[in-house]
Amino acid sequence: MGKPSGIVVLAGMALAFLATVVSAEEMQAVVLGDITFNYSTASWLMERDGDDLVATCVQEDCRGAMIDISRIVGDGGCTKEAMIAEAARLFPGAGRAYANIVRAGRFALVLAEAHDGPDLSSPQYAHACLGWQGYEYRFAMRPETVGTQSWIGGALHYLVSQATAPEAPLTQLRIGDVTFSLSNEVWKVGPVAATADGSGETVLLTCRMPTCEEPSLTAALSVAQTDQPCPSPPTDVEFAYGGEAKNGEVLKETPEGLHFVTSEIWLGCRNFVPPRFAACGVHGGRAYHLTTPAGQGCRGSFWSVPQTVLIDVLKSARVTE
């Protein structure tokens, strides 16, 4: 039998190396509440601490840093201001703390970091939070584990980006004679209230991150008596800035659905301002409206509720009388 060729030897070495890499990066999973954290053992050591988790970084760029991961009831404390204050409290010597909202896979992570000294590459302290289905998941780095490595913020961001969760439940919202199915992952649904003139009902929908880039972006669903079909979408002459309206429609997909006419209202600003969205459908002598806020003008926020999720709300409408 002849000797193995150099190609065979190299191929064998490559396979051996690949097996070593796969073995060194064995994947594990640990569950906290509704969230499953998927991680490589080459990057993290995950241990339980009662009802909580302790994540210890073992990769080179943040080796030794420890993060306590906890879960508490509530979903209103995951804000930039809260995370900055907590990072500054737990790591007061840093002198400079800041926070950003970053998309992490399916989640929105409010990540605060503090630097020890003026050098941006100096050791960092990280404190973060994400809100999910009525709970806050907190990630608090233990200050005593801050060493010479500074990549803990990026490592934590990546860890959360690999996490998974079950499909979010739907809220069945009835307003008038129509029921809308709204994803709890996308919308926080307010209480149904009487309209200002008492002729109908209205409810405020708050778009959750990361579907919306910033918190507190809203849309409103309302129903009111009407003697007229849905009004025609506005025309160019109604805009002070020379804007325009792009008209459309959303056809019902089932016999119980509702047909809506829609408009995107562009203000004609010199800078980019997202269009306002309006939709209207009529059933049983009442008009159903879905709108995003008006009156922002050309100095309005850059961000807006994605039109795709607004269309999903309209498509979910079902007459339930």
Side-chain angles (χ1 to χ4, degrees):
M1 182 179 294
K3 294 181 180 180
S5 69
I7 294 177
V8 174
V9 171
L10 289 175
M13 292 175 62
L15 288 173
F17 175 76
L18 179 60
T20 301
V21 171
V22 172
S23 176
E25 297 185 353
E26 181 183 358
M27 297 301 295
Q28 297 285 342
V30 61
V31 178
L32 181 62
D34 290 334
I35 296 181
T36 298
F37 294 97
N38 304 289
Y39 64 96
S40 165
T41 56
S43 298
W44 294 96
L45 170 65
M46 303 283 275
E47 300 174 295
R48 293 203 174 272
D49 182 12
D51 294 332
D52 302 330
L53 299 173
V54 179
T56 303
C57 181
V58 295
Q59 65 191 39
E60 182 178 356
D61 49 13
C62 57
R63 183 176 293 129
M66 298 177 69
I67 296 178
D68 292 305
I69 307 176
S70 59
R71 173 178 177 260
I72 61 175
V73 177
D75 58 3
C78 291
T79 65
K80 287 183 181 180
E81 295 74 18
M83 293 304 100
I84 290 175
E86 191 68 4
R89 181 183 73 82
L90 294 172
F91 198 57
R96 193 168 69 255
Y98 57 91
N100 292 292
I101 300 173
V102 293
R103 182 181 291 271
R106 191 173 170 186
F107 309 102
L109 187 68
V110 185
L111 177 62
E113 295 179 287
H115 288 277
D116 185 11
D119 185 359
L120 291 182
S121 64
S122 60
Q124 295 176 326
Y125 174 80
H127 188 84
C129 180
L130 69 86
W132 183 257
Q133 300 303 302
Y135 289 88
E136 294 177 11
Y137 293 78
R138 295 293 184 97
F139 306 83
M141 182 180 172
R142 295 182 182 179
E144 66 270 19
T145 69
V146 174
T148 59
Q149 308 300 329
S150 62
W151 195 245
I152 186 60
L156 175 59
H157 182 197
Y158 183 76
L159 174 66
V160 175
S161 74
Q162 302 305 298
T164 57
E167 184 176 353
L170 298 176
T171 294
Q172 301 298 320
L173 171 67
R174 178 163 180 167
I175 182 169
D177 295 323
V178 176
T179 296
F180 296 86
S181 297
L182 307 174
S183 170
N184 285 350
E185 185 170 346
V186 177
W187 300 105
K188 181 177 181 180
V189 181
V192 177
T195 55
D197 60 5
S199 64
E201 297 173 323
T202 185
V203 60
L204 188 66
L205 309 178
T206 302
C207 184
R208 298 182 188 271
M209 301 180 295
T211 299
C212 285
E213 299 287 346
E214 292 285 348
S216 302
L217 296 178
T218 61
L221 265 175
S222 62
V223 58
Q225 293 294 133
T226 179
D227 295 328
Q228 303 291 332
C230 280
S232 300
T235 58
D236 294 3
V237 297
E238 298 181 48
F239 300 102
Y241 299 103
E244 63 180 25
K246 179 182 177 182
N247 305 326
E249 59 182 355
V250 176
L251 302 177
K252 63 180 182 180
E253 297 181 342
T254 69
E256 299 79 22
L258 198 61
H259 175 225
F260 289 90
V261 294
T262 66
S263 64
E264 294 176 79
I265 305 169
W266 298 86
L267 296 180
C269 305
R270 287 180 297 177
N271 56 304
F272 174 78
V273 174
R276 300 171 190 160
F277 180 86
C280 178
V282 172
H283 173 76
R286 291 194 281 189
Y288 294 82
H289 295 270
L290 176 65
T291 58
T292 54
Q296 295 181 2
C298 284
R299 298 184 182 273
S301 170
F302 177 83
W303 304 111
S304 63
V305 179
Q307 188 179 130
T308 53
V309 298
L310 296 169
I311 297 298
D312 287 342
V313 171
L314 302 178
K315 289 183 176 180
S316 76
R318 298 292 183 269
V319 176
T320 55
E321 58 182 352

